[in-house]
């Protein structure tokens, strides 16, 4: 029986997709495990921020509660914002390797260039799917011809 193959291009594409899916899974796990931390009022207020749950921890040292209400409010906001910023930094670090993003947020990716890159990837994927569909059609036609030409035991001969 002949071995069925969609060709080396499809096999390479399949390997690349498996690698990218593995990278994406690692990135998701890394983001899920990331914890942003922030402090204020000389460490008397500590906040933690996670992807699941947002602000997940807010510790207030009893000495911080002695601050005037306005200062306490500002310090809590400072700690929470610092935790969120720290979390964003960790997410950026986790995703920068997969998407080749710059480490410096000042050198952020131009959204137009990012969309163009995504468009290029999508077009490449669509082209590969067209090639796959074409190859599957050819293979189906070959299989159909083989079935039509098949002479099984007791066949009456050519048609």
């Amino acid at each position: 029986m002949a071995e069925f193959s969609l060709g080396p291009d499809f096999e390479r594409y399949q390997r690349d997709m498996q690698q990218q899916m593995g990278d994406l899974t690692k990135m998701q796990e890394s983001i899920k495990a990331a914890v942003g931390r922030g402090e204020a009022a000389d460490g008397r207020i500590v906040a933690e921020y996670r992807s699941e749950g947002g602000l997940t921890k807010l510790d207030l040292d009893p000495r911080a509660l002695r601050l005037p209400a306005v200062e306490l409010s500002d310090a809590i906001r400072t700690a929470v914002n610092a935790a969120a910023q720290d979390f964003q930094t960790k997410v950026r670090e986790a995703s920068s390797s997969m998407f080749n993003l710059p480490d410096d947020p000042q050198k952020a990716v131009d959204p137009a260039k990012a969309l163009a890159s995504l468009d290029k990837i999508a077009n490449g994927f669509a082209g590969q799917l067209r090639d796959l569909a074409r190859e599957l059609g050819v293979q189906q036609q070959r299989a159909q011809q083989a079935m039509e030409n098949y002479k099984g035991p007791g066949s009456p001969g050519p048609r």
Side-chain angles (χ1 to χ4, degrees):
M1 178 174 223
E3 185 176 314
F4 178 76
S5 173
L6 296 177
D9 289 338
F10 179 76
E11 291 167 3
R12 185 184 73 246
Y13 169 73
Q14 187 176 17
R15 281 191 308 273
D16 291 348
M17 288 302 293
Q18 288 171 342
Q19 174 67 40
Q20 289 176 358
M21 291 304 293
D23 291 347
L24 183 58
T25 300
K26 288 177 190 173
M27 183 184 76
Q28 287 173 327
E29 290 169 358
S30 187
I31 289 171
K32 190 174 181 179
V35 179
R37 289 186 174 76
E39 293 184 2
D42 298 323
R44 293 184 182 132
I45 299 174
V46 178
E48 287 187 358
Y49 193 96
R50 297 173 185 262
S51 64
E52 292 180 3
L55 180 65
T56 56
K57 182 177 179 181
L58 181 62
D59 287 338
L60 303 173
D61 183 297
R63 293 174 291 174
L65 298 176
R66 295 183 195 140
L67 293 171
V70 173
E71 287 181 38
L72 178 60
S73 176
D74 287 343
I76 290 172
R77 191 172 25 261
T78 298
V80 170
N81 286 338
Q85 182 64 41
D86 186 42
F87 174 77
Q88 289 174 358
T89 299
K90 290 177 179 178
V91 168
R92 191 170 23 292
E93 289 169 356
S95 59
S96 66
S97 62
M98 182 169 182
F99 296 110
N100 296 322
L101 298 175
D103 291 333
D104 183 0
Q106 298 299 326
K107 297 179 182 175
V109 175
D110 176 15
K113 288 181 182 178
L115 287 175
S117 178
L118 287 175
D119 191 44
K120 183 179 177 181
I121 291 169
N123 287 336
F125 181 70
Q128 289 175 333
L129 285 178
R130 275 193 304 275
D131 293 345
L132 173 61
R134 189 177 310 115
E135 181 63 27
L136 288 173
V138 168
Q139 295 295 336
Q140 182 180 16
Q141 187 176 18
R142 287 179 185 163
Q144 187 176 11
Q145 288 173 347
M147 291 300 292
E148 290 172 0
N149 294 333
Y150 174 72
K151 296 179 188 174
S155 339
R159 297 181 206 183

